[in-house]
């Protein structure tokens, strides 16, 4: 302790961990530096000794559409594991954690719940939207513009201008993709400061909020809580699912909410998430299914507007605790009313039953997820076109070697088979850019980006690699997707199903050593959150 420059007074104070992904891996986390400094200042002001440490991040944007994406989901587990190791290994008394890139948000929250010391989560904030030809841009526009160039609808000079304009500041993606979705979830479940999530990452206001978090975590420590497992209850998890549905948020939340539940020792699976999705109206007109971005929500009052509206309508539990020690109803009760354009009132929703849906059926007996926000047609039936991995499908899409009406199958990309459950924005954005977004369907046991739009169904469980029905699909088989009925089925007879099952054999693993091999041996399936341990870790390990 003395070697770190601490004097007797500092050593005698509570040691408060401050974890972030501050570094140069991704723009999403480059907003953390000044906020970490402010949080440390708040801790010191309130009588604690701040101990800054960092953990890893993998940018989904930079790892997209190549083998590197296999390390995205496993990075969530690495983040949670590293936080557990540092907090318990160094006996820290409390924790403030920052997140930015997609997997960093659930990873930090999982670590907090696992350690169960007084904790506050802070999202690092989104980037400001870009501007081009009078319209707002996000990173998604660049991906889709590549598809437009493929079809001849856009020249490469325009693509270059879009690419240079789409991300003008540091911060996470501006749309309601995974980062902003999980930031809203952090508030709806009570682990974050109230109404902080939609403050843009480059705004100085974030320093004030981080300093407040530093002071607040000291108050929590002095009064003994609430601790993360007192906050993250079943009702809180239902709130998290509701705000995803209400905003047309990322399908990845259906994976992360069960993972958070696992850390708290609560059984909350994809089925439970789907029940909440089905009863929650879509009121957020947010990209990719809608028109607006995070800054537009901030300008109209922030997440507080959405949470207050959903509490008033009974779609959110207002009696859930926040890190402040007050309930959500108390914290968000004074929020302004919806503006009617970016955020609608519950009695005038965009859709009556949520922007994300969980499907069941003989092709996905344990579940699959589709984002329905923004879709014009919710039913699709067509012949299957099977690809054994993402690269096969991506090559066919680039060459436009597929037909309208087909159901493109990308299999062997699940958590075990990939391994790592890659997300497919590279493929889906190309399809959309080629103006085929709802003219074909894409079905995979891998994941989708929060930015994905179109008739895209992911997280198919059980996955193909372990013998799930997706492994049995053959070219030309007809598949029916019926989002209103929450079903997806392979239209073959039970006898044919049985015959194919008897013939199926498992392929050898793709990775025999290293992190991915270790991950494949421990990871579970999507409905339980694709987690790597049984959950509800006890600490200390003795009475």
């Amino acid at each position: 302790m003395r070697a770190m420059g601490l004097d007797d007074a500092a050593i005698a104070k509570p040691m408060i961990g401050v974890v972030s992904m501050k570094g140069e891996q991704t723009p999403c986390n480059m907003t953390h530096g000044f906020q970490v400094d402010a949080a440390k200042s708040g801790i010191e002001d309130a009588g604690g000794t701040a101990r800054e440490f960092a953990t890893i991040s993998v940018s989904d944007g930079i790892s997209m559409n190549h083998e590197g994406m296999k390390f995205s989901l496993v990075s969530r587990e690495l983040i949670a594991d590293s936080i557990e190791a540092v907090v318990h290994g160094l006996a820290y008394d409390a924790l403030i954690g920052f997140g930015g890139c997609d997997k960093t948000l659930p990873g930090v929250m999982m670590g907090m719940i696992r350690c169960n010391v007084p904790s506050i989560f802070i999202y690092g904030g989104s980037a400001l939207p870009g501007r081009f030809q009078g319209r707002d841009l996000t990173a998604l526009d660049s991906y889709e513009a590549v598809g437009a160039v493929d079809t001849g609808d856009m020249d490469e000079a325009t693509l270059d201008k879009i690419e240079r304009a789409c991300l003008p500041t540091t911060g996470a993606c501006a749309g309601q993709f995974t980062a902003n979705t999980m930031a809203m979830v952090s508030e709806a479940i009570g682990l974050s400061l109230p109404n902080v999530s939609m403050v843009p990452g480059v705004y100085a206001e974030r320093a004030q909020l981080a300093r407040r978090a530093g002071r607040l975590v000291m108050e929590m420590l002095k009064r003994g809580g609430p601790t993360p497992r007192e906050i993250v209850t079943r009702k809180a998890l239902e709130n998290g699912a509701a705000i995803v549905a209400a905003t047309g948020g990322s399908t990845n939340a259906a994976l992360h909410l069960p993972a958070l539940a696992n850390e708290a020792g609560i059984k909350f699976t994809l089925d439970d998430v789907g029940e909440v999705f089905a009863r929650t109206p879509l009121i957020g007109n947010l990209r990719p299914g809608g028109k607006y971005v995070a800054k537009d929500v901030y300008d109209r009052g922030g997440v507080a507007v959405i949470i207050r509206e959903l509490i008033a309508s009974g779609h959110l539990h207002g009696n859930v605790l926040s890190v402040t020690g007050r309930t959500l109803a108390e914290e968000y009760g004074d929020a302004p009313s919806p503006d009617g354009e970016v955020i609608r009132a519950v009695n005038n929703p965009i859709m009556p039953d949520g922007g994300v849906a969980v499907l069941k059926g003989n092709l996905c007996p344990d579940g699959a997820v589709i984002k329905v926000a923004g879709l014009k047609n919710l039913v699709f039936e067509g012949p299957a076109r099977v690809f054994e991995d993402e690269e096969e499908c991506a090559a066919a899409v680039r060459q436009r070697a597929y037909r309208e009406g087909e159901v493109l199958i990308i299999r062997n990309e699940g958590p075990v088979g990939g391994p790592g459950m890659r997300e497919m924005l590279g493929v889906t954005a190309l399809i959309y850019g080629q103006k085929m977004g709802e003219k074909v369907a894409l079905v995979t046991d891998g994941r989708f980006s929060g930015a994905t739009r179109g008739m895209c169904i992911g997280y198919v469980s059980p996955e193909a690699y372990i013998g799930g029905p997706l492994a049995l699909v053959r070219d030309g088989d007809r598949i029916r997707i019926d989002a209103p009925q929450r079903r997806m089925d392979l239209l073959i007879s039970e006898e044919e199903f049985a015959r194919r099952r008897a013939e199926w054999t498992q392929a050898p693993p793709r990775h025999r050593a290293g992190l991915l091999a270790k991950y494949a041996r421990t990871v579970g399936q999507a409905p339980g959150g694709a987690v790597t341990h049984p959950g509800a870790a006890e600490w200390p390990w003795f009475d």
Side-chain angles (χ1 to χ4, degrees):
M1 294 289 182
R2 297 193 197 287
M4 290 187 284
L6 300 182
D7 59 17
D8 289 348
I11 293 169
K13 294 174 183 177
M15 298 283 175
I16 313 300
V18 181
V19 62
S20 76
M21 298 86 210
K22 189 170 73 173
E24 296 176 336
Q25 311 98 305
T26 160
C28 313
N29 305 313
M30 291 181 76
T31 62
H32 290 185
F34 77 99
Q35 298 182 66
V36 165
D37 291 342
K40 290 166 64 178
S41 172
I43 290 166
E44 302 282 349
D45 290 347
T49 296
R51 298 284 83 193
E52 179 184 347
F53 65 102
T55 186
I56 60 103
S57 69
V58 174
S59 166
D60 285 20
I62 297 171
S63 62
M64 190 68 64
N65 204 30
H66 62 84
E67 281 277 300
M69 179 55 76
K70 291 182 177 181
F71 290 91
S72 172
L73 187 57
V74 68
S75 75
R76 184 189 72 178
E77 315 308 306
L78 288 172
I79 291 163
D81 291 350
S82 67
I83 289 172
E84 177 190 14
V86 172
V87 169
H88 285 331
L90 302 180
Y92 288 161
D93 298 291
L95 181 66
I96 292 177
F98 291 86
C101 281
D102 295 1
K103 307 310 172 295
T104 67
L105 288 88
V108 171
M109 287 187 272
M110 288 164 65
M112 288 176 167
I113 299 166
R114 191 183 305 178
C115 294
N116 204 35
V117 296
S119 302
I120 298 174
F121 176 81
I122 304 176
Y123 177 41
S126 68
L128 295 176
R131 292 289 292 175
F132 179 71
Q133 295 181 342
R135 65 187 178 98
D136 282 347
L137 296 180
T138 71
L140 175 61
D141 292 283
S142 283
Y143 279 104
E144 293 185 354
V146 174
V149 169
D150 286 346
T151 64
D153 289 336
M154 183 182 293
D155 57 41
E156 291 195 15
T158 303
L159 168 61
D160 182 67
K161 291 175 182 175
I162 290 173
E163 180 265 318
R164 292 176 186 276
C166 71
L167 198 59
T169 72
T170 57
C173 290
Q176 191 66 348
F177 311 156
T178 303
N180 281 324
T181 297
M182 293 308 297
M184 287 193 182
V185 166
S186 73
E187 290 200 37
I189 65 178
L191 279 178
S192 178
L193 285 181
N195 212 28
V196 64
S197 297
M198 293 298 101
V199 181
V202 293
Y203 278 20
E205 181 182 348
R206 283 201 158 273
Q208 303 168 30
L209 295 165
R211 194 170 291 108
R212 180 187 165 203
R215 294 191 293 264
L216 177 59
V217 81
M218 290 302 297
E219 291 177 22
M220 295 167 70
L221 182 60
K222 288 170 185 173
R223 65 173 181 251
T227 59
R229 293 194 203 175
E230 291 172 328
I231 293 170
V232 181
T233 62
R234 185 178 182 84
K235 284 184 176 181
L237 293 161
E238 289 179 354
N239 282 358
I243 206 161
V244 176
T247 59
S250 171
T251 53
N252 281 312
L255 197 68
H256 299 324
L257 283 164
L260 295 176
N262 181 65
E263 300 292 350
I266 299 169
K267 190 174 186 295
F268 190 77
T269 67
L270 188 61
D271 287 342
D272 300 304
V273 173
E275 286 180 14
V276 179
F277 284 175
R279 66 177 185 241
T280 308
L282 174 63
I283 62 172
N285 185 11
L286 305 176
R287 297 193 68 182
K291 293 172 58 178
Y292 298 100
V293 297
K295 182 180 180 298
D296 297 310
V297 178
Y298 169 77
D299 289 341
R300 287 156 180 81
V303 184
V305 176
I306 302 168
I307 290 179
R308 182 192 176 203
E309 180 70 8
L310 294 174
I311 290 173
S313 65
H315 292 96
L316 225 66
H317 303 290
N319 59 350
V320 163
L321 269 182
S322 167
V323 289
T324 62
R326 287 155 43 95
T327 65
L328 293 191
E330 291 169 331
E331 286 294 348
Y332 293 88
D334 295 330
S337 299
D339 68 302
E341 176 59 21
V342 178
I343 304 163
R344 296 236 199 133
V346 165
N347 62 11
N348 181 34
I350 299 165
M351 294 179 66
D353 54 358
V356 186
V358 173
L359 309 180
K360 289 291 188 76
N362 68 6
L363 193 55
C364 52
D366 292 343
V369 186
I370 181 174
K371 181 181 286 193
V372 294
L375 287 181
K376 297 181 179 67
N377 301 302
L378 300 179
V379 177
F380 192 101
E381 183 177 322
R385 178 83 177 281
V386 179
F387 301 95
E388 299 300 335
D389 57 30
E390 180 187 6
E391 283 80 5
E392 267 192 28
C393 184
V397 170
R398 286 194 193 96
Q399 296 162 17
R400 306 202 72 197
Y402 65 102
R403 296 187 180 89
E404 181 176 335
E406 289 183 326
V407 179
L408 309 182
I409 304 290
I410 303 178
R411 63 190 178 194
N412 301 311
E413 293 288 1
V416 179
M421 210 176 190
R422 286 191 287 182
E423 67 179 40
M424 309 292 171
L425 178 62
V427 175
T428 60
L430 281 173
I431 290 171
Y432 217 94
Q434 293 172 359
K435 297 185 177 178
M436 296 289 280
E438 293 193 36
K439 295 179 181 178
V440 296
L442 194 149
V443 177
T444 181
D445 50 9
R447 297 181 297 115
F448 288 122
S449 165
T452 289
R453 55 179 176 162
M455 182 57 73
C456 298
I457 299 90
Y459 316 84
V460 172
S461 300
E463 63 177 290
Y465 184 79
I466 65 171
L470 200 65
L472 310 180
V473 180
R474 296 180 180 176
D475 284 343
D477 288 344
R478 293 197 72 78
I479 292 172
R480 180 174 176 81
I481 300 153
D482 190 333
Q485 295 299 315
R486 305 289 193 265
R487 288 199 65 84
M488 182 170 67
D489 293 287
L490 176 60
L491 303 181
I492 62 173
S493 68
E494 280 301 316
E495 292 77 14
E496 179 63 12
F497 247 125
R499 187 178 68 79
R500 293 184 188 182
R501 278 196 194 98
E503 293 174 353
W504 178 81
T505 56
Q506 188 176 55
R510 287 173 170 164
H511 295 264
R512 300 180 184 278
L515 174 59
L516 293 176
K518 181 166 61 175
Y519 181 69
R521 288 194 294 270
T522 58
V523 70
Q525 291 292 288
V531 295
T532 56
H533 74 107
E538 297 176 2
W539 186 264
W541 300 103
F542 48 84
D543 293 330

